[in-house]
Amino acid sequence: MENSLAMQKQSVGAIEIEKTKLSLMRILVEKQDPSSKEADDSTLRRFLRSRDLDVEKASNMFLKYLNWKRTFVPNGSISPTEIRHELEQNKMFLQGSDKKGRPMAVVLASRHFQHEGGVEEFKRFVVYLFDKIFTRMPPGQEKFIVISDLKGWGYANSDIRAYLAALSLVQDYYPERLEKLFIVHAPYIFMTAWKMVCPFIDQKTRNKIIFVDKKSVKSTLLEEIEESQLPETLGGKLPLVPIQNS
């Protein structure tokens, strides 16, 4: 009983500390960039938590995000016409959710090839994906799930610059959004590319990446996702929906 009360007091204390630091962060960022007033508490809180409640680091990170978004997404969103080559590859799908209501994206990695749009178009594509996911977020939910299916992946699909660009976006500009990334059907040759990317992944993000054993793909995914929400391509019942149609 005493332990339970002590834990409750610690929890309440932690919440109050976070509230105080959130208020300090808001004062700091609004002073440096008045457009910060448009950001809700949930957004600022994600940046604060990603920097372990360090107000200065979180504020700098958030202000960097605002500057980036003004430059990279000047119209407020990415148009399909800006990512034509990416959409033509028909590799990203968005449908269903996990047991906690988190939206779920599926990537068929063997359909990815480098193209004339280059890494800049790929980055726009990732932002387009995030915006699509966020419109599907149920109330009270902030995170999403990604399943990257590497069946059929070969060296022709390898794109280190694109992988690093996606990681940078997730870590620097969309913190505390990714819940888990499941990597399934990874061929042995993929590990060569993975070893090149891995050093650039921070520990928090690395903890969210799960390589699923080929022998237990469906059973592992069913721990997090109902069969009715699992894609047909992975033994479930839900048809894949191309992201541009979701």
Side-chain angles (χ1 to χ4, degrees), residues 53-119:
L53 304 187
D54 185 311
V55 174
E56 184 176 354
K57 288 181 179 179
S59 298
N60 290 335
M61 184 185 189
F62 179 71
L63 292 168
K64 181 182 175 184
Y65 159 76
L66 289 181
N67 289 328
W68 163 80
K69 192 163 188 182
R70 274 192 288 266
T71 303
F72 196 74
V73 196
N75 299 319
S77 62
I78 300 295
S79 165
T81 59
E82 298 179 78
I83 51 172
R84 178 174 58 85
H85 300 94
E86 292 292 332
L87 292 177
E88 286 175 352
Q89 293 183 351
N90 197 34
K91 60 192 172 188
M92 182 70 71
F93 305 85
L94 184 58
Q95 68 290 297
S97 57
D98 72 358
K99 293 178 180 179
K100 294 186 178 180
R102 292 179 286 238
M104 180 170 56
V106 177
V107 189
L108 300 184
S110 64
R111 296 185 181 182
H112 174 81
F113 296 93
Q114 296 183 43
H115 51 72
E116 62 185 59
V119 71

Side-chain angles (χ1 to χ4, degrees), residues 10 25 33 40 67 75 107 110 117 143 148 151 185 216 233:
Q10 287 179 351
M25 179 180 174
D33 188 335
D40 59 21
N67 289 328
N75 299 319
V107 189
S110 64
K143 299 190 177 186
S148 183
K151 182 178 287 185
H185 302 133
S216 57
T233 54

Side-chain angles (χ1 to χ4, degrees), residues 7-20 53:
M7 289 178 66
Q8 287 180 8
K9 287 181 179 179
Q10 287 179 351
S11 178
V12 171
I15 291 172
E16 290 304 314
I17 289 172
E18 185 176 86
K19 281 183 178 180
T20 300
L53 304 187

Side-chain angles (χ1 to χ4, degrees), residues 78-242:
I78 300 295
S79 165
T81 59
E82 298 179 78
I83 51 172
R84 178 174 58 85
H85 300 94
E86 292 292 332
L87 292 177
E88 286 175 352
Q89 293 183 351
N90 197 34
K91 60 192 172 188
M92 182 70 71
F93 305 85
L94 184 58
Q95 68 290 297
S97 57
D98 72 358
K99 293 178 180 179
K100 294 186 178 180
R102 292 179 286 238
M104 180 170 56
V106 177
V107 189
L108 300 184
S110 64
R111 296 185 181 182
H112 174 81
F113 296 93
Q114 296 183 43
H115 51 72
E116 62 185 59
V119 71
E120 288 303 305
E121 182 176 332
F122 179 78
K123 289 194 288 187
R124 291 196 296 271
F125 180 62
V126 174
V127 173
Y128 175 84
L129 164 66
F130 288 164
D131 286 344
K132 282 278 192 176
I133 290 175
F134 299 154
T135 62
R136 294 171 57 87
M137 287 281 183
Q141 187 54 262
E142 296 184 303
K143 299 190 177 186
F144 60 89
I145 299 283
V146 177
I147 301 174
S148 183
D149 190 345
L150 272 63
K151 182 178 287 185
W153 186 95
Y155 283 126
N157 307 115
S158 182
D159 192 348
I160 303 300
R161 291 181 65 206
Y163 302 156
L164 292 175
L167 282 167
S168 176
L169 288 169
V170 170
Q171 294 178 165
D172 299 337
Y173 303 129
Y174 295 91
E176 298 299 308
R177 283 296 202 178
L178 177 67
E179 174 64 21
K180 287 182 182 178
L181 165 59
F182 293 99
I183 298 179
V184 302
H185 302 133
Y188 179 75
I189 56 173
F190 174 75
M191 300 315 295
T192 302
W194 179 250
K195 287 177 182 177
M196 297 176 68
V197 173
C198 200
F200 297 94
I201 307 176
D202 65 37
Q203 192 58 51
K204 280 190 174 184
T205 304
R206 198 175 301 178
N207 292 341
K208 299 174 183 178
I209 300 173
I210 301 166
F211 280 86
V212 182
D213 187 277
K214 293 179 182 179
K215 297 178 182 178
S216 57
V217 170
K218 185 176 180 180
S219 61
T220 299
L221 294 175
L222 285 176
E223 293 175 9
E224 305 277 345
I225 306 160
E226 297 288 356
E227 190 171 10
S228 63
Q229 298 294 299
L230 196 64
E232 291 175 337
T233 54
L234 294 169
K237 299 180 179 179
L238 207 62
L240 290 176
V241 179

